[in-house]
């Protein structure tokens, strides 16, 4: 199952809770791009250089664990969600060869288990044959407000104007790239979560998933 959508649409919280309820593995593809962007920054590698970032990736072990990501065995925790990583990650994610390598790793993980995968291209590109696909959206104001609350909760001071500009820029880069752009798959259910509480979104998607799985399996 796949959940895609722009930044701040609530995907990761929803995907994590849904995976728990369904007994599926939660696979946060964004955390993989973020871990790589973090490593590029740590090693002073230009996040726009395909050769250098790919070389870094080929020498990296990125493991998703229930509460985050391990990079070469080290738990990164909230470091992958810093404003610096926010600014670098969509540049790393533009690089076609880097995407193809990460997508191959994502597919390999999902071969062994039922997964809830969240990202930008999981329904269109990583798992085009997934049984259930959602695309979550919300108004820009609401996405900025959710992101701001999340960043403040982690102790980062945020200027809403700067945050909005950063999110719009990331959405633009994510939509315009050639490999795996942000897009709803033709067979995805599009859910506008503006004004909805996260718990209600989880309930709605859970019910829709059960219905869909029952119709496929009957
Ligand atoms: O949490 P948020 O929605 O802001 O972002 P994320 O899911 O952690 O992803 C961070 C960035 O990684 C996105 O803005 C994309 O540039 C990139 N990404 C991607 O290109 N493809 C994916 N499947 C997942 C993330």
């Amino acid at each position: 199952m796949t959940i895609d959508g722009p930044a701040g649409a609530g995907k990761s919280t929803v995907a994590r809770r849904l995976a728990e309820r369904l007994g599926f593995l939660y696979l946060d593809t964004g955390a993989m791009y973020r871990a790589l962007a973090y490593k590029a920054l740590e090693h002073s590698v230009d996040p726009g250089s395909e050769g250098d970032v790919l070389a870094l990736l080929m020498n990296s072990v990125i493991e998703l664990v229930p509460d985050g990501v391990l990079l070469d065995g080290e738990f990164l925790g909230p470091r992958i969600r810093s404003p610096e990583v926010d600014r670098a990650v969509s540049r790393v994610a533009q690089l076609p060869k880097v995407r193809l390598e990460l997508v191959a790793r994502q597919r390999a993980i999902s071969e062994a288990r039922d997964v809830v995968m969240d990202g930008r291209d999981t329904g269109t590109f990583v798992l085009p044959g997934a049984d259930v696909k959602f695309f979550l959206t919300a108004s820009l104001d609401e996405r900025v407000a959710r992101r701001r609350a999340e960043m403040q909760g982690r102790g980062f001071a945020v200027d809403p104007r700067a945050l909005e500009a950063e999110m719009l820029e990331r959405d633009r880069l994510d939509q315009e790239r050639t490999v795996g752009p942000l897009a709803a798959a033709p067979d995805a259910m599009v859910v506008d979560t503006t004004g909805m509480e996260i718990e209600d979104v989880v309930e709605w998607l859970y019910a829709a998933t059960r219905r869909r799985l029952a119709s496929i399996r009957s």
Side-chain angles (χ1 to χ4, degrees), residues 25-39:
L25 179 73
Y26 168 51
L27 206 158
D28 178 358
T29 62
M32 298 175 83
Y33 289 93
R34 285 176 178 277
L36 181 60
Y38 171 84
K39 187 165 182 178

Side-chain angles (χ1 to χ4, degrees), residues 103-133:
V103 166
R105 295 188 190 189
Q106 291 155 11
R107 286 181 183 148
I109 300 171
S110 70
E111 258 162 32
R113 288 201 51 176
D114 282 332
V115 295
V116 177
M117 206 181 251
D118 113 46
R120 300 291 186 285
D121 61 340
T122 66
T124 52
F125 191 66
V126 186
L127 298 180
D131 288 337
V132 186
K133 299 180 185 179

